């Protein structure tokens, strides 16, 4: 047996329902029509019999010497006008005065007359000389309803005529049912064709498997995945997207403005970096037929590693510059020796070594956190290479307090970079106390007046991405600290982390 598609099954089911409904309706209509036609024929016969029985001409004819000669034309006239098949007037013993077939006059009536003799009008279906008929029998009384029964009147319609009328009704009922069936089948076929296009001709089992695979992939993928409708409504999001963006359980079906994600998810088709809470997210959007498909990846750790890599690159550049400068100075010392100016060569070399050692001793004596010390030495060399000066404040004193080195590099490195870009002299204060950890970076630049400086995208450089200070603000929030800006002075305060108990080390 060939595989049934979902559309094919729907077509068969709907056709079955339509046919069953029409057959049931046609059967019910047939029964009702049969009862209606029979009731109509019975009523017609009863009305004709009652009218004849109440006619004064009938009583007058009964008193005549030959009642049949007067009653036969009267009965035929009534039969023609009322549309019944026969009107029979008879004696109380059943002897006929009238009949559509004159040969039957004078013979006994075929049927029941007991109830009529008791003064009651009744109806029945009986087979007489004209065949099966629906008939009514009424008494003819003298002196009104209380008088004796003088004669009986029977009027009837042949069952054949009743059946013919019923067949006509059934024909039209069947024709209407066929038309309705054709319209229902056509409508069902159109709906099924549309369903077949939408389901691509797949069966229920295949659709079920596709849904299961879709659901498994959607919830298992580590990247955030969202589908945004063309009207800005979030129509789909997976578990990773809810976690990365902090979305509520009822986020689907709500507008991006309501969720506060208009700027974050308005990424077009280019990947952009956004700061959401304490996370660095890479957001990429692609247009589709249903709207925009947005992927969200967590770059927090990658960004921290990139910051450390930038620091290492800065260190390497500083070493390269120092090596180049040392080569120049060494070449100068060698040349002075070759010229016989040994004392001047010794004095020159000693002075350079003393200056370099003084800077190293100053930094290492004030900052005993190795990563920060290396960062400051590298930034000092970078500032000098760019024609500036990086000064370590005399009040600086910092031990290894157990703070995350990557976060410290992000905060101090970006603040110094921002200051070096804006000024020629930068002073750094790093100090630890009972109230926490203090970082202060000041420069001789014009200062900063911008409430949105720590928001991603703010920059003073025309080609910048505005990410450095935003990362600083994010790292400070992650460490539970605060940041203040007073002109060209940036002050960061971080709490000292609580010591880890021995039992969990």
């Amino acid at each position: 047996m060939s595989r049934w598609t979902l559309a094919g099954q729907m077509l068969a089911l709907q056709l079955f329902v339509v046919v069953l409904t029409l057959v049931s309706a046609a059967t019910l209509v047939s029964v009702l029509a049969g009862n209606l036609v029979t009731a109509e024929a019975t009523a017609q016969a009863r009305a004709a019999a009652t009218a004849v029985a109440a006619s004064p001409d009938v009583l007058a004819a009964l008193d005549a010497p030959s009642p049949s000669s007067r009653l036969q034309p009267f009965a035929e006239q009534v039969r023609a006008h009322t549309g019944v098949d026969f009107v029979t007037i008879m004696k109380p013993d059943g002897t006929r005065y009238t009949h559509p077939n004159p040969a039957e006059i004078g013979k006994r009536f075929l049927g029941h007359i007991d109830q009529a003799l008791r003064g009651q009008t009744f109806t029945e279906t009986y087979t007489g000389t004209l065949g099966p008929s629906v008939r009514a029998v009424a008494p003819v009384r003298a002196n009104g309803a209380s008088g004796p029964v003088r004669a009986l009147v029977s009027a009837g319609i042949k069952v054949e005529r009743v059946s013919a009328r019923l067949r006509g009704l059934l024909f039209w009922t069947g024709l209407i049912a066929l038309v309705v069936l054709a319209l229902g089948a056509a409508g069902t076929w159109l709906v099924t064709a549309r369903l077949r296009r939408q389901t691509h001709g797949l069966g229920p089992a295949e659709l079920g498997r596709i849904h299961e695979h879709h659901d498994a992939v959607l919830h298992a993928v580590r990247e955030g995945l969202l589908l945004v409708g063309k009207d800005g409504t979030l129509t789909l999001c997976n578990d990773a997207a809810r976690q990365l963006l902090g979305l509520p359980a009822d986020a689907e079906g709500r507008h991006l403005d309501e969720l506060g994600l208009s700027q974050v998810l308005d990424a077009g088709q280019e990947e952009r970096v956004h700061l959401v809470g304490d996370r660095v997210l890479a957001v990429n959007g692609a247009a589709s037929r249903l709207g925009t498909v947005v992927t969200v990846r967590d770059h927090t750790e990658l960004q921290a590693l990139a910051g450390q890599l930038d620091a290492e690159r800065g260190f390497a550049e500083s070493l390269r510059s120092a090596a180049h400068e040392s080569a120049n100075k060494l070449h100068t010392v060698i040349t002075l020796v070759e010229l016989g100016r040994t004392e001047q060569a010794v004095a020159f070399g000693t002075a350079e070594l003393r200056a370099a050692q003084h800077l190293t001793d100053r930094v290492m004596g004030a900052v005993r956190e190795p990563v920060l010390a290396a960062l400051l030495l590298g930034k000092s060399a970078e500032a000098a290479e760019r024609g500036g000066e990086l000064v370590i404040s005399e009040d600086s004193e910092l031990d290894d307090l157990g703070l995350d080195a990557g976060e410290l590099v992000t905060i101090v490195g970006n603040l110094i970079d921002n200051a070096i870009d804006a000024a020629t002299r930068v002073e750094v204060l790093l100090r630890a106390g009972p109230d926490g950890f203090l970082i202060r970076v000041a420069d001789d630049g014009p200062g900063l007046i911008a409430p949105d400086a720590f928001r991603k995208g703010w920059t003073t450089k025309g080609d910048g991405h505005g990410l450095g200070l935003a990362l600083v603000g994010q790292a400070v929030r992650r460490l539970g600290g605060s940041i203040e800006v007073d002109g060209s002075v940036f002050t960061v305060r971080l709490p000292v982390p609580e010591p880890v108990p021995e039992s969990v080390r």
Side-chain angles (χ1 to χ4, degrees):
M1 183 177 179
S2 61
R3 177 177 58 87
W4 279 65
T5 64
L6 178 62
Q9 294 186 26
M10 289 296 296
L11 176 61
L13 177 61
Q14 291 184 14
L15 284 178
F16 173 76
V17 172
V18 171
V19 171
L20 180 62
T21 302
L22 286 176
V23 169
S24 300
T27 302
L28 179 61
V29 169
S30 299
V31 173
L32 293 177
N35 293 336
L36 179 64
V37 170
T38 301
E40 182 181 356
T42 301
Q44 185 178 0
R46 189 185 187 96
T50 303
V52 171
S55 174
D57 294 337
V58 174
L59 288 174
L62 291 175
D63 294 331
S66 178
S68 293
S69 61
R70 297 181 59 181
L71 292 176
Q72 176 68 10
F74 174 74
E76 289 299 304
Q77 184 180 8
V78 171
R79 181 176 69 84
H81 280 85
T82 58
V84 296
D85 290 320
F86 66 88
V87 175
T88 300
I89 304 173
M90 67 195 84
K91 296 179 181 180
D93 61 1
T95 303
R96 301 189 187 98
Y97 287 123
T98 64
H99 195 275
N101 183 6
E104 298 293 331
I105 296 175
K107 297 180 179 180
R108 293 293 297 255
F109 173 75
L110 300 180
H112 300 94
I113 60 175
D114 295 342
Q115 289 181 268
L117 291 175
R118 293 195 296 268
Q120 299 176 3
T121 301
F122 71 97
T123 59
E124 66 175 350
T125 300
Y126 197 87
T127 302
T129 58
L130 299 177
S133 62
V134 177
R135 59 180 63 181
V137 181
V140 179
R141 290 176 173 273
N143 301 323
S146 59
V149 176
R150 294 285 308 278
L152 302 175
V153 178
S154 178
I157 299 175
K158 293 188 290 185
V159 173
E160 181 182 353
R161 283 185 57 192
V162 175
S163 299
R165 295 176 61 183
L166 180 60
R167 285 194 297 270
L169 292 176
L170 293 180
F171 169 78
W172 287 107
T173 301
L175 182 61
I176 294 173
L178 289 176
V179 172
V180 172
L181 177 61
L183 293 177
T188 301
W189 183 85
L190 291 176
V191 173
T192 303
R194 178 178 177 84
L195 182 62
R196 184 182 296 110
R197 289 194 302 270
Q198 293 179 341
T199 58
H200 303 285
L202 297 176
E206 294 170 322
L207 290 174
R209 286 195 298 269
I210 290 175
H211 173 73
E212 291 175 357
H213 295 165
H214 167 270
D215 190 66
V217 172
L218 184 66
H219 294 288
V221 68
R222 297 183 62 184
E223 292 185 357
L225 180 64
L226 306 99
L227 179 60
V228 182
K230 296 181 179 180
D231 59 349
T233 300
L234 181 62
T235 58
L236 177 69
C237 66
N238 64 351
D239 296 339
R242 295 180 190 275
Q243 181 180 3
L244 293 175
L245 298 174
L247 298 176
D250 60 344
E252 294 182 356
R254 297 168 64 180
H255 199 275
L256 294 183
D257 292 337
E258 185 180 355
L259 298 172
L261 297 178
S262 297
Q263 295 182 350
V264 175
L265 299 185
D266 186 17
Q269 297 185 0
E270 297 181 357
E271 184 171 89
R272 300 182 184 179
V273 177
H274 289 267
L275 302 181
V276 179
D278 59 351
R279 298 180 184 272
V280 179
L281 304 179
V283 181
N284 185 48
S288 70
R289 183 173 58 88
L290 300 177
T292 303
V293 179
V294 181
T295 57
V296 181
R297 295 190 297 275
D298 191 355
H299 278 197
T300 304
E301 296 182 1
L302 181 61
Q303 194 66 41
L305 293 175
Q308 295 182 16
L309 180 60
D310 289 340
E312 297 295 338
R313 186 182 293 111
F315 300 157
E317 290 295 327
S318 299
L319 290 175
R320 182 191 61 79
S321 300
H324 185 270
E325 187 66 18
S326 297
N328 291 334
K329 293 176 180 179
L330 181 59
H331 182 70
T332 301
V333 171
I334 293 173
T335 302
L336 288 173
V337 172
E338 290 176 349
L339 293 175
R341 298 178 180 273
T342 306
E343 295 181 359
Q344 294 180 358
V346 172
F348 179 79
T350 303
E352 291 299 326
L353 288 175
R354 186 181 300 111
Q357 188 62 41
H358 175 73
L359 175 61
T360 303
D361 292 342
R362 176 75 191 89
V363 173
M364 297 302 296
V367 180
R368 286 176 290 279
E369 212 293 332
V371 176
L372 278 182
L375 175 66
L376 292 175
L377 288 174
K379 293 299 181 183
S380 296
E382 181 182 352
E385 185 178 2
R386 295 172 61 175
E389 180 185 12
L390 177 63
V391 179
I392 307 301
S393 174
E394 296 291 338
D395 298 332
S396 294
E397 184 176 1
L398 179 66
D399 291 323
D400 186 358
L401 299 178
L403 291 171
D404 185 88
E407 301 286 17
L408 293 179
V409 168
T410 297
I411 296 172
V412 178
N414 281 289
L415 288 179
I416 293 177
D417 287 341
N418 185 70
I420 292 175
D421 289 339
T424 58
R425 186 179 187 279
V426 180
E427 181 177 357
V428 179
L429 171 64
L430 302 174
R431 188 173 62 198
D435 297 334
F437 179 26
L438 175 66
I439 303 174
R440 178 173 295 148
V441 178
D443 60 68
D444 58 354
L448 178 67
I449 304 176
D452 295 331
F454 295 95
R455 178 180 55 82
K456 187 261 175 187
W458 186 93
T459 179
T460 58
K461 296 170 285 187
D463 58 349
H465 297 289
L467 189 60
L469 290 181
L471 291 175
V472 171
Q474 188 183 66
V476 170
R477 288 192 299 271
R478 277 199 296 265
L479 295 176
S482 63
I483 185 168
E484 300 175 1
V485 181
D486 184 8
S488 59
V489 180
F490 290 77
T491 303
V492 176
R493 290 182 173 84
L494 301 175
V496 177
E498 297 181 0
V500 179
E502 292 289 342
S503 59
V504 297
R505 288 185 180 178

